[in-house]
Amino acid sequence: MKILELSLNGFRNYEAFNCAFDPGVNLIVGQNAQGKTNLLEAICYLSRGSAFRTRKEAELIRFGAEFADLSARVESYGREQSLRAVLFAARRPRQLFLSGVKKPSREELDGVLNTVLFCPEDLLVLKKGAAERRKLLDDALCQLRPKYAKALEEYKRLLAQKAAALRDRTDRPEMLELIPDYNERMAQTGAILITTRAKYLRQLEERAAAHHEAFSGGSEALSLSYQTVSTVTDPTAPALEVYARLKDHQQSHYRAEVESMQCLSGPHKDDFEAALNGLPMKAFASQGQTRTAAISLKLAERDLFEADTGELPVLLLDDVLSELDPGRQDFVLNRIQSGQVFITCCEQDKVTHIGKTIRIEQGRLL
Ligand code: ATP
Ligand code: MG
């Protein structure tokens, strides 16, 4: 997938902007607050129908403007298509178009332009709590596997119901009678979550480790290990076996759940540990190492997307070069050879030798 050309009118700090892109690397250079991230945000909006920095559409419209008009010519599955979104400042629903035809729902634009985004917050994935890492797996799998998305939705619903039953058990002890039914269905859907996550993480590790090795000049080995419910010793076993192990865990934790009034059993606490040369990254990785691994994970996610859909998503890298040494910067700028990449950076002297350098000042192309 490739973006051939992008036009923006009244989007964020862009009054009127048009630019054709390189099919390889596009390096977007500019000082702070000139509109580099805004440009990635526009691409993301056309790709996903939502922005990554805000949920409020009004914030995307240029101050004082009545509407924002974003459009792109893209190459997708060998065909040239166009995507367009018009957002209105007044209380009027946005309009979406695919190759000139108005589409009533965002889903109809799904898959025309897939993007994988790295933004500085993604560094938290490797440094912060388990929720961020679970989200990384869930987001990717929900896009790739409809069956997984359904199981996750059902699991979350059951978890909320079970949590409510445990919480209310002093006032309404009869609620506890519902727990066996919740447990049964949570073990069934939980087994789907665990086996799918385990397999995906294994594939992700294989690709991410290869990228990280090249990125670090061969000096660092990245490994990812899945952590789930303690009784599930082999999360890649058939779902039926994982289901049985989940039932064991539920049984042995039932008392504790009732006493603590909390759900203690199930894959809602899942996590994975990232390590470099065997050392857990959370405790020992440097800033540059964390950044390298986070970008390698994105490159791997993109590979797996390609393996599944047959097309390589466009890679959007926001502010990736800071904290990287010259060798690692060179990897980002000149050695990501596959597919189309957008990289933003503030350093004026940076150029890419395998693509196009685009300079931005106050929402204008220089
Ligand atoms: P940095 O290098 O600091 O990350 P950047 O080039 O990525 O900077 P952006 O985040 O793309 O900067 O742009 C930020 C600028 O866009 C801010 O100065 C902000 O005021 C302006 N901006 C954001 N939304 C709007 C809007 N709706 N209308 C006009 N300007 C806006
Ligand atoms: Mg920025």
Side-chain angles (χ1 to χ4, degrees), residues 38 133 193 227 279 309 320:
N38 291 346
R133 285 181 291 279
L193 300 187
Q227 297 167 337
L279 292 174
T309 64
V320 284

Short mmCIF file of all heavy atoms in Angstrom, two decimals, residues 38 133 193 227 279 309 320:
data_model
loop_
_atom_site.label_atom_id
_atom_site.label_comp_id
_atom_site.label_asym_id
_atom_site.label_seq_id
_atom_site.Cartn_x
_atom_site.Cartn_y
_atom_site.Cartn_z
N ASN A 38 0.92 16.56 12.67
CA ASN A 38 -0.41 16.80 12.07
C ASN A 38 -0.54 16.07 10.74
O ASN A 38 -1.61 15.56 10.40
CB ASN A 38 -0.64 18.30 11.85
CG ASN A 38 -0.80 19.06 13.17
OD1 ASN A 38 -1.00 18.45 14.21
ND2 ASN A 38 -0.70 20.38 13.12
N ARG A 133 0.78 -3.50 27.15
CA ARG A 133 1.26 -4.63 26.32
C ARG A 133 0.09 -5.50 25.85
O ARG A 133 0.06 -5.98 24.72
CB ARG A 133 2.30 -5.45 27.10
CG ARG A 133 3.65 -4.74 27.18
CD ARG A 133 4.69 -5.55 27.94
NE ARG A 133 4.39 -5.65 29.34
CZ ARG A 133 4.65 -4.69 30.24
NH1 ARG A 133 5.23 -3.58 29.86
NH2 ARG A 133 4.33 -4.85 31.51
N LEU A 193 -8.59 -16.56 23.58
CA LEU A 193 -7.69 -15.42 23.73
C LEU A 193 -6.25 -15.89 23.95
O LEU A 193 -5.32 -15.40 23.31
CB LEU A 193 -8.12 -14.53 24.92
CG LEU A 193 -9.52 -13.92 24.87
CD1 LEU A 193 -9.71 -12.95 26.03
CD2 LEU A 193 -9.77 -13.20 23.55
N GLN A 227 3.15 -14.26 29.30
CA GLN A 227 2.83 -14.62 30.69
C GLN A 227 1.32 -14.64 30.85
O GLN A 227 0.66 -13.63 30.66
CB GLN A 227 3.44 -13.58 31.64
CG GLN A 227 4.97 -13.55 31.54
CD GLN A 227 5.59 -12.34 32.22
OE1 GLN A 227 4.93 -11.32 32.40
NE2 GLN A 227 6.85 -12.46 32.59
N LEU A 279 18.18 -9.82 29.53
CA LEU A 279 17.87 -8.92 30.65
C LEU A 279 16.50 -8.25 30.44
O LEU A 279 16.26 -7.67 29.38
CB LEU A 279 18.92 -7.80 30.75
CG LEU A 279 20.33 -8.20 31.16
CD1 LEU A 279 21.26 -7.00 31.06
CD2 LEU A 279 20.33 -8.76 32.58
N THR A 309 -2.59 -10.14 4.95
CA THR A 309 -3.45 -9.44 3.99
C THR A 309 -2.84 -9.37 2.59
O THR A 309 -3.51 -9.00 1.64
CB THR A 309 -3.72 -7.99 4.45
OG1 THR A 309 -2.46 -7.29 4.45
CG2 THR A 309 -4.30 -7.92 5.84
N VAL A 320 11.06 9.54 15.79
CA VAL A 320 11.79 8.33 16.18
C VAL A 320 13.28 8.54 16.33
O VAL A 320 13.95 7.75 16.98
CB VAL A 320 11.62 7.17 15.17
CG1 VAL A 320 10.28 6.52 15.30
CG2 VAL A 320 11.89 7.60 13.77
#
